[in-house]
Amino acid sequence: MIRFLLGRAVLLVLGLGVASLLIFLALRVLPGDVAQVIGGTTATPEQVARIRESLGLNESPAAQYIAWVAGLLRGDLGTSLLTGVPIGDDLARRFEITLPLTLLALVIALAVALPLGTYSALRHDRPIGVAVGFGSQTLAAVPALWAGLLLILLFGRGVGLIGLLPTSGFPRSGWQDPLTALASLLLPALTIGLIEGAVLLRFVRSAALEALDQDYVRAGAARGLTRPQALARHGLPNVGLSIVSVSGLILAGLITGAVLIEALFNLPGVGRMLVDDVGSRDIAKVQSEVFFLTGIVLVIGALIDVAHRLIDPRQRERAVAA
């Protein structure tokens, strides 16, 4: 197990290194002059040259890359070229919104997908099972923007039929008022969670249907268990690894793809921060933000591999035999 963890850690470090190089090179081909943006349209060429010199933009790309990576190794994401604010501090404040939003959306998705997916598999040859499968397919195809607008019209405070939840913004006090903060995230989390839950439901349904045809589930039924009992006791544990993998990928996708929902509900999260910084050509900030999000995806992938090794006895046995 220790050898596996070390090997996975080496792969993670290599992945982060390759990602940092690709991100750095990709952002250097973007058009625009950061020094000109900072100086404004009225800046003279001499003023732009002084700004470029002060920011180290005259250094070679290799020197800029080495300086950036050295900062990352020290835990320093750098400072914004436009505002001078430390990127790490800004990112941490935004992540306090994006992370709870995505975790809440994942909880909603699992709460929808696991029971309904299993139920529709057990009733796949009946109208209710077919209806659940058709409903999940339809919901999975709904654009997130349209789903969010519909939920606002239903539950939005002041504009909806059932005015329960706020539709815009996040409390200035942040999580010091947890109930208000949580309420501001419920509608966006429902928007993402229901759609991702529909996607996950279809996966759970297919996996459960496949498990129902396996010998170990039939053997359980032959020993006197009902089909739901045999599926719950012998089938679901075997498809649980796949569900863990898909859930991890959904979580990574939610964190990196919450831009649209944060914009719709006016949430100052990481997604909106990235869009704003791309528009203002703040290269230093954008490259650190993209690297941070890429790192999250790679870390989640590594954790899924470790979870597989811990949960699946077959992998442990193969490792011992090797």
Short mmCIF file of all heavy atoms in Angstrom, two decimals, residues 122-154:
data_model
loop_
_atom_site.label_atom_id
_atom_site.label_comp_id
_atom_site.label_asym_id
_atom_site.label_seq_id
_atom_site.Cartn_x
_atom_site.Cartn_y
_atom_site.Cartn_z
N LEU A 122 -35.09 -1.66 -10.30
CA LEU A 122 -35.92 -2.75 -9.80
C LEU A 122 -37.29 -2.80 -10.50
O LEU A 122 -37.92 -3.85 -10.57
CB LEU A 122 -36.12 -2.61 -8.28
CG LEU A 122 -34.88 -2.87 -7.42
CD1 LEU A 122 -35.10 -2.39 -5.99
CD2 LEU A 122 -34.54 -4.36 -7.44
N ARG A 123 -37.73 -1.63 -10.99
CA ARG A 123 -39.05 -1.55 -11.66
C ARG A 123 -38.87 -1.24 -13.14
O ARG A 123 -39.71 -0.59 -13.74
CB ARG A 123 -39.89 -0.45 -11.01
CG ARG A 123 -40.17 -0.64 -9.53
CD ARG A 123 -41.17 -1.79 -9.29
NE ARG A 123 -41.59 -1.85 -7.90
CZ ARG A 123 -40.94 -2.54 -6.98
NH1 ARG A 123 -39.83 -3.19 -7.31
NH2 ARG A 123 -41.38 -2.57 -5.73
N HIS A 124 -37.77 -1.68 -13.74
CA HIS A 124 -37.47 -1.29 -15.11
C HIS A 124 -38.49 -1.80 -16.12
O HIS A 124 -38.64 -1.24 -17.20
CB HIS A 124 -36.07 -1.80 -15.50
CG HIS A 124 -36.00 -3.29 -15.65
ND1 HIS A 124 -35.88 -4.13 -14.57
CD2 HIS A 124 -36.04 -4.08 -16.75
CE1 HIS A 124 -35.84 -5.38 -15.00
NE2 HIS A 124 -35.94 -5.38 -16.31
N ASP A 125 -39.20 -2.86 -15.78
CA ASP A 125 -40.18 -3.42 -16.71
C ASP A 125 -41.60 -2.96 -16.39
O ASP A 125 -42.57 -3.55 -16.88
CB ASP A 125 -40.10 -4.94 -16.68
CG ASP A 125 -40.23 -5.51 -15.27
OD1 ASP A 125 -40.20 -4.71 -14.31
OD2 ASP A 125 -40.34 -6.74 -15.13
N ARG A 126 -41.71 -1.94 -15.55
CA ARG A 126 -43.03 -1.42 -15.19
C ARG A 126 -43.12 0.06 -15.57
O ARG A 126 -42.09 0.73 -15.72
CB ARG A 126 -43.29 -1.61 -13.69
CG ARG A 126 -43.26 -3.09 -13.29
CD ARG A 126 -43.62 -3.28 -11.86
NE ARG A 126 -43.49 -4.68 -11.48
CZ ARG A 126 -43.74 -5.14 -10.28
NH1 ARG A 126 -44.14 -4.30 -9.32
NH2 ARG A 126 -43.60 -6.43 -10.01
N PRO A 127 -44.34 0.56 -15.70
CA PRO A 127 -44.49 1.97 -16.13
C PRO A 127 -43.76 2.97 -15.25
O PRO A 127 -43.17 3.93 -15.75
CB PRO A 127 -46.01 2.18 -16.07
CG PRO A 127 -46.59 0.82 -16.28
CD PRO A 127 -45.64 -0.13 -15.61
N ILE A 128 -43.74 2.74 -13.92
CA ILE A 128 -43.09 3.70 -13.03
C ILE A 128 -41.58 3.73 -13.27
O ILE A 128 -40.95 4.80 -13.25
CB ILE A 128 -43.40 3.36 -11.54
CG1 ILE A 128 -42.81 4.43 -10.63
CG2 ILE A 128 -42.88 1.98 -11.19
CD1 ILE A 128 -43.45 5.78 -10.78
N GLY A 129 -40.99 2.55 -13.54
CA GLY A 129 -39.55 2.51 -13.83
C GLY A 129 -39.21 3.19 -15.14
O GLY A 129 -38.21 3.91 -15.25
N VAL A 130 -40.07 2.95 -16.15
CA VAL A 130 -39.86 3.60 -17.44
C VAL A 130 -40.01 5.12 -17.31
O VAL A 130 -39.25 5.90 -17.89
CB VAL A 130 -40.85 3.05 -18.48
CG1 VAL A 130 -40.72 3.81 -19.80
CG2 VAL A 130 -40.62 1.56 -18.69
N ALA A 131 -41.01 5.55 -16.51
CA ALA A 131 -41.24 6.99 -16.33
C ALA A 131 -40.05 7.66 -15.65
O ALA A 131 -39.64 8.76 -16.02
CB ALA A 131 -42.52 7.19 -15.51
N VAL A 132 -39.48 7.00 -14.63
CA VAL A 132 -38.32 7.58 -13.95
C VAL A 132 -37.13 7.68 -14.91
O VAL A 132 -36.42 8.70 -14.95
CB VAL A 132 -37.94 6.74 -12.71
CG1 VAL A 132 -36.61 7.22 -12.12
CG2 VAL A 132 -39.03 6.83 -11.66
N GLY A 133 -36.94 6.63 -15.72
CA GLY A 133 -35.84 6.67 -16.68
C GLY A 133 -36.03 7.77 -17.72
O GLY A 133 -35.08 8.50 -18.05
N PHE A 134 -37.25 7.93 -18.22
CA PHE A 134 -37.52 8.98 -19.20
C PHE A 134 -37.37 10.37 -18.57
O PHE A 134 -36.82 11.29 -19.17
CB PHE A 134 -38.94 8.81 -19.76
CG PHE A 134 -39.33 9.87 -20.75
CD1 PHE A 134 -38.84 9.85 -22.04
CD2 PHE A 134 -40.18 10.89 -20.37
CE1 PHE A 134 -39.19 10.84 -22.94
CE2 PHE A 134 -40.54 11.89 -21.27
CZ PHE A 134 -40.03 11.86 -22.56
N GLY A 135 -37.87 10.50 -17.33
CA GLY A 135 -37.76 11.78 -16.65
C GLY A 135 -36.32 12.19 -16.41
O GLY A 135 -35.96 13.36 -16.59
N SER A 136 -35.47 11.23 -16.03
CA SER A 136 -34.07 11.56 -15.79
C SER A 136 -33.37 11.95 -17.09
O SER A 136 -32.53 12.86 -17.12
CB SER A 136 -33.34 10.37 -15.15
OG SER A 136 -33.29 9.28 -16.05
N GLN A 137 -33.74 11.28 -18.20
CA GLN A 137 -33.14 11.62 -19.49
C GLN A 137 -33.52 13.03 -19.91
O GLN A 137 -32.70 13.79 -20.42
CB GLN A 137 -33.58 10.61 -20.55
CG GLN A 137 -32.87 10.77 -21.88
CD GLN A 137 -33.20 9.64 -22.83
OE1 GLN A 137 -34.07 8.82 -22.55
NE2 GLN A 137 -32.51 9.60 -23.95
N THR A 138 -34.78 13.38 -19.67
CA THR A 138 -35.25 14.72 -20.03
C THR A 138 -34.57 15.78 -19.17
O THR A 138 -34.10 16.81 -19.68
CB THR A 138 -36.77 14.80 -19.85
OG1 THR A 138 -37.39 13.77 -20.63
CG2 THR A 138 -37.29 16.16 -20.28
N LEU A 139 -34.50 15.53 -17.85
CA LEU A 139 -33.90 16.52 -16.95
C LEU A 139 -32.41 16.71 -17.23
O LEU A 139 -31.89 17.83 -17.15
CB LEU A 139 -34.11 16.08 -15.50
CG LEU A 139 -33.60 17.03 -14.41
CD1 LEU A 139 -34.24 18.41 -14.56
CD2 LEU A 139 -33.88 16.45 -13.02
N ALA A 140 -31.74 15.61 -17.59
CA ALA A 140 -30.30 15.72 -17.88
C ALA A 140 -30.03 16.58 -19.10
O ALA A 140 -28.94 17.15 -19.24
CB ALA A 140 -29.71 14.33 -18.08
N ALA A 141 -31.02 16.70 -19.99
CA ALA A 141 -30.83 17.49 -21.22
C ALA A 141 -31.20 18.96 -21.04
O ALA A 141 -30.99 19.75 -21.95
CB ALA A 141 -31.68 16.89 -22.34
N VAL A 142 -31.74 19.32 -19.86
CA VAL A 142 -32.16 20.70 -19.64
C VAL A 142 -30.94 21.60 -19.44
O VAL A 142 -30.07 21.28 -18.62
CB VAL A 142 -33.08 20.78 -18.41
CG1 VAL A 142 -33.39 22.24 -18.06
CG2 VAL A 142 -34.37 20.02 -18.67
N PRO A 143 -30.83 22.73 -20.15
CA PRO A 143 -29.71 23.65 -19.91
C PRO A 143 -29.75 24.21 -18.49
O PRO A 143 -30.84 24.52 -17.97
CB PRO A 143 -29.93 24.76 -20.95
CG PRO A 143 -30.82 24.15 -21.99
CD PRO A 143 -31.69 23.17 -21.27
N ALA A 144 -28.59 24.34 -17.87
CA ALA A 144 -28.53 24.81 -16.48
C ALA A 144 -29.12 26.21 -16.34
O ALA A 144 -29.77 26.53 -15.33
CB ALA A 144 -27.08 24.78 -15.99
N LEU A 145 -28.89 27.06 -17.34
CA LEU A 145 -29.41 28.43 -17.28
C LEU A 145 -30.93 28.44 -17.22
O LEU A 145 -31.54 29.14 -16.41
CB LEU A 145 -28.92 29.23 -18.49
CG LEU A 145 -29.34 30.70 -18.53
CD1 LEU A 145 -28.77 31.45 -17.35
CD2 LEU A 145 -28.88 31.35 -19.84
N TRP A 146 -31.56 27.63 -18.06
CA TRP A 146 -33.02 27.57 -18.08
C TRP A 146 -33.55 26.98 -16.78
O TRP A 146 -34.55 27.47 -16.22
CB TRP A 146 -33.47 26.74 -19.28
CG TRP A 146 -34.95 26.79 -19.52
CD1 TRP A 146 -35.65 27.74 -20.20
CD2 TRP A 146 -35.92 25.86 -19.01
NE1 TRP A 146 -36.99 27.45 -20.16
CE2 TRP A 146 -37.19 26.31 -19.45
CE3 TRP A 146 -35.84 24.70 -18.25
CZ2 TRP A 146 -38.37 25.62 -19.14
CZ3 TRP A 146 -37.02 24.02 -17.93
CH2 TRP A 146 -38.25 24.48 -18.39
N ALA A 147 -32.90 25.93 -16.28
CA ALA A 147 -33.34 25.31 -15.02
C ALA A 147 -33.23 26.32 -13.87
O ALA A 147 -34.11 26.38 -13.01
CB ALA A 147 -32.49 24.08 -14.73
N GLY A 148 -32.15 27.10 -13.85
CA GLY A 148 -32.00 28.10 -12.80
C GLY A 148 -33.08 29.17 -12.86
O GLY A 148 -33.64 29.55 -11.82
N LEU A 149 -33.40 29.63 -14.06
CA LEU A 149 -34.46 30.64 -14.20
C LEU A 149 -35.81 30.07 -13.75
O LEU A 149 -36.61 30.77 -13.09
CB LEU A 149 -34.55 31.10 -15.66
CG LEU A 149 -33.39 31.95 -16.16
CD1 LEU A 149 -33.51 32.20 -17.66
CD2 LEU A 149 -33.35 33.28 -15.41
N LEU A 150 -36.06 28.81 -14.08
CA LEU A 150 -37.32 28.19 -13.67
C LEU A 150 -37.42 28.09 -12.15
O LEU A 150 -38.48 28.39 -11.55
CB LEU A 150 -37.42 26.79 -14.30
CG LEU A 150 -38.74 26.04 -14.06
CD1 LEU A 150 -39.90 26.83 -14.66
CD2 LEU A 150 -38.68 24.65 -14.66
N LEU A 151 -36.32 27.70 -11.50
CA LEU A 151 -36.33 27.60 -10.03
C LEU A 151 -36.49 28.98 -9.40
O LEU A 151 -37.14 29.12 -8.35
CB LEU A 151 -35.02 26.95 -9.55
CG LEU A 151 -34.92 25.44 -9.81
CD1 LEU A 151 -33.55 24.92 -9.40
CD2 LEU A 151 -36.01 24.69 -9.05
N ILE A 152 -35.91 30.01 -10.01
CA ILE A 152 -36.10 31.37 -9.50
C ILE A 152 -37.57 31.77 -9.57
O ILE A 152 -38.12 32.35 -8.62
CB ILE A 152 -35.22 32.36 -10.30
CG1 ILE A 152 -33.74 32.16 -9.94
CG2 ILE A 152 -35.63 33.80 -10.01
CD1 ILE A 152 -32.80 32.98 -10.80
N LEU A 153 -38.22 31.44 -10.70
CA LEU A 153 -39.64 31.79 -10.85
C LEU A 153 -40.53 30.98 -9.91
O LEU A 153 -41.64 31.40 -9.60
CB LEU A 153 -40.07 31.55 -12.31
CG LEU A 153 -39.43 32.48 -13.33
CD1 LEU A 153 -39.84 32.09 -14.75
CD2 LEU A 153 -39.83 33.93 -13.06
N LEU A 154 -40.05 29.83 -9.47
CA LEU A 154 -40.84 29.02 -8.55
C LEU A 154 -40.59 29.39 -7.09
O LEU A 154 -41.54 29.57 -6.31
CB LEU A 154 -40.53 27.53 -8.76
CG LEU A 154 -41.11 26.87 -10.01
CD1 LEU A 154 -40.59 25.45 -10.15
CD2 LEU A 154 -42.64 26.86 -9.94
#
